[in-house]
Amino acid sequence: MSSLTVTPKLQRLAAQATHDPKRVFTTLAHLIDEDFLHEAYRHTSKSSAAGIDGVTAKMYAEHLDDNLRDLHERLRSGRYQAAPVERVWIEKDDGGQRPIGKPAFEDKIVQRAVARLLEAIYEQDCHDCSSGFRPGRSPHAARHEVRERCMQEGIGWIVDADVSGYFDSIDRTRLREVLRQRVNDGRIMRLIGKWLRAGVMEDGELHHPETGVVQGGVISPVLANVFLHHVLDEWFEREVRPRLKGRAFLIRFADDFCIGGERQADARKIMAVLPKQFARFGLTIHPEKTALIAFGKPDARQASAQGNGTFEFLGLTHYWAKSRRGFWVIKRRTARKRLRRTQKALWRWCRANRHAPVKYQYQMLCLKLRGHFRYYGIRGNFRLLEEVRRYAEKAWRYWLSRRSSKSAIGWAKFQRLLQTYVLPTPKIVHTI
């Protein structure tokens, strides 16, 4: 029953935001009642790890109605307190590490409720160039649009930009200023403030960073998206595009974006002003990872043009090549950094789980390979999909052979095992 009462609320919010783009919403918190919290709970992931309090989704569900009733009362009376976020680290493509936070499950529910309110409003404001963390949008659609725009609009130059530590660098004061231009409900703003100030628990020590939003939180992608909408999307559409002489586009997925320009002079102007625009909001464009790339058709590119003719976007390398019919087209393949990261992850997993039952190892490897194929399974990338599958077989056999001194597995024995446990074959999922 809760969705029947929640959906009309969100629809009315969306209609109001669409009808009056300059309206500032000052009364939103009262919409978060018990039904709204039930719906937020339903949309919250139940499979993620527990937060600092150790409460899992299963434990919280044992007394769900009582827990949500108590949560609503604490929200209504202002007694709700956000728990610190436990931080873990994962490997990045460049060899560094990315911090990921694990909020308490109850905090996820409240964040989901607030996120749905914000999404209903800001979804009406967002431009089509933005695809990350929006309903009905996906990285596949963003990658496809980049390819189509480059081919159809005669794009000859790509500004391949990278924001240094975006999530950790967001200026919280400026973030609040941006939010208040559309949402100025005191209770909502206080909730967001509690999550930003809750602190990070790492190796048993509590830290309170002065900037940034914690990656891994339910509300963090929404806040980060709203901030970049103001910093980049609005600026590009209102101030940059009208001043350009040729065609240009911006495609953004969360903090990953690329800008395409028809003319070299336009692209150089964008390269010059982009760091200044981000610096105004306390953000930094990475000087070494940001480049201006010549990306015209090879037969149209001048011999003196700079750039290597390829760029990476959302894990794929885009490059010009001839089709079977002899036409120049843009093809895509798995970026080398992503390929190496996948192979390292498969190797580490097989090593860490070599003593687990073979059936369990097989099931998990199938999940990992299918996930990889679903994301990278695009036309023209089949060879690298096969390479990942072969590497999975290699890693699996190597670490199965090291379960004990007597468990060496030759290729003949391993091939018989593969007849019983057949790993998924590569599959093209996304066609042009």
Side-chain angles (χ1 to χ4, degrees), residues 4-289:
L4 299 179
T5 60
V6 171
T7 302
K9 294 178 182 179
L10 298 177
Q11 290 174 341
R12 283 195 297 271
L13 268 184
Q16 292 168 358
T18 302
H19 178 71
D20 187 358
K22 295 184 179 181
R23 175 172 179 171
V24 179
F25 291 84
T26 57
T27 54
L28 294 174
H30 71 282
L31 298 175
I32 305 179
D33 53 18
E34 288 187 40
D35 283 343
F36 207 104
L37 291 175
H38 269 279
E39 188 69 5
Y41 166 81
R42 193 170 69 85
H43 284 85
T44 301
S45 173
K46 313 298 189 299
S47 58
S48 52
I52 194 173
D53 58 359
V55 177
T56 64
K58 184 178 180 180
M59 295 165 61
Y60 198 86
E62 291 176 357
H63 304 283
L64 181 61
D65 291 339
D66 292 337
N67 287 333
L68 293 180
R69 190 178 302 112
D70 176 66
L71 175 59
H72 175 250
E73 178 58 31
R74 282 183 283 127
L75 287 170
R76 193 179 62 82
S77 63
R79 293 182 292 110
Y80 164 81
Q81 295 295 326
V85 175
E86 185 178 355
R87 172 175 284 175
V88 295
W89 296 83
I90 61 173
E91 185 178 356
K92 294 172 62 177
D93 293 339
D94 59 5
Q97 290 187 316
R98 184 192 306 277
I100 296 294
K102 297 191 295 181
F105 184 74
E106 187 173 74
D107 290 337
K108 292 181 184 178
I109 297 175
V110 186
Q111 290 185 21
R112 176 64 65 192
V114 174
R116 299 199 73 191
L117 293 176
L118 296 181
E119 287 170 351
I121 297 170
Y122 283 101
E123 179 63 21
Q124 320 314 313
D125 299 346
C126 289
H127 297 284
D128 289 338
C129 64
S130 171
S131 297
F133 308 118
R134 294 179 60 191
R137 307 259 177 166
S138 71
H140 311 296
R143 298 181 317 196
H144 179 72
E145 185 170 359
V146 167
R147 180 184 185 275
E148 294 302 303
R149 296 287 291 272
C150 284
M151 293 182 62
Q152 295 174 6
E153 298 180 10
I155 299 300
W157 299 85
I158 295 291
V159 177
D160 186 9
D162 182 88
V163 186
S164 299
Y166 173 61
F167 279 80
D168 294 329
S169 303
I170 294 177
D171 187 301
R172 295 174 180 176
T173 301
R174 290 187 174 95
L175 173 61
R176 292 188 185 95
E177 292 172 354
V178 169
L179 288 171
R180 288 194 181 100
Q181 294 178 17
R182 202 67 160 120
V183 175
N184 198 18
D185 182 307
R187 289 168 62 186
I188 295 295
M189 296 303 294
R190 281 193 292 273
L191 282 175
I192 293 174
K194 288 179 180 180
W195 295 322
L196 294 178
R197 297 189 302 269
V200 175
M201 183 68 72
E202 185 176 358
D203 297 329
E205 294 186 9
L206 182 61
H207 306 277
H208 289 87
E210 296 182 359
T211 61
V213 296
V214 178
Q215 294 189 63
V218 175
I219 196 68
S220 300
V222 179
L223 298 179
N225 212 26
V226 169
F227 196 56
L228 261 189
H229 164 76
H230 184 81
V231 174
L232 179 61
D233 304 353
E234 285 279 289
W235 170 73
F236 183 83
E237 294 295 333
R238 295 186 179 183
E239 298 185 30
V240 176
R241 192 197 296 274
R243 292 178 169 84
L244 301 179
K245 295 182 178 180
R247 289 177 290 188
F249 69 80
L250 163 70
I251 303 295
R252 178 174 69 83
F253 189 90
D255 60 330
D256 292 326
F257 68 92
C258 66
I259 300 174
E262 186 180 7
R263 295 169 176 253
Q264 181 179 1
D266 289 342
R268 291 194 179 279
K269 288 180 182 178
I270 295 172
M271 275 286 291
V273 299
L274 195 64
K276 299 176 183 177
Q277 169 65 9
F278 274 72
R280 286 177 54 206
F281 294 89
L283 300 173
T284 304
I285 295 293
H286 200 297
E288 297 178 1
K289 296 182 180 179

Side-chain angles (χ1 to χ4, degrees), residues 251-350:
I251 303 295
R252 178 174 69 83
F253 189 90
D255 60 330
D256 292 326
F257 68 92
C258 66
I259 300 174
E262 186 180 7
R263 295 169 176 253
Q264 181 179 1
D266 289 342
R268 291 194 179 279
K269 288 180 182 178
I270 295 172
M271 275 286 291
V273 299
L274 195 64
K276 299 176 183 177
Q277 169 65 9
F278 274 72
R280 286 177 54 206
F281 294 89
L283 300 173
T284 304
I285 295 293
H286 200 297
E288 297 178 1
K289 296 182 180 179
T290 301
L292 179 60
I293 299 169
F295 198 67
K297 287 186 180 181
D299 57 351
R301 188 185 307 155
Q302 298 178 358
S304 60
Q306 298 179 356
N308 57 11
T310 69
F311 70 96
E312 294 181 10
F313 183 61
L314 297 179
L316 293 178
T317 298
H318 295 64
Y319 63 100
W320 284 96
K322 282 193 174 182
S323 67
R324 292 181 179 180
R325 296 183 179 181
F327 299 107
W328 285 107
V329 296
I330 294 176
K331 294 186 177 182
R332 298 164 295 175
R333 61 174 180 263
T334 308
R336 280 294 168 186
K337 290 188 294 185
R338 292 290 186 96
L339 185 63
R340 287 195 296 269
R341 185 179 72 176
T342 299
Q343 291 174 337
K344 286 181 180 178
L346 286 170
W347 187 267
R348 286 196 299 264
W349 190 90
C350 289

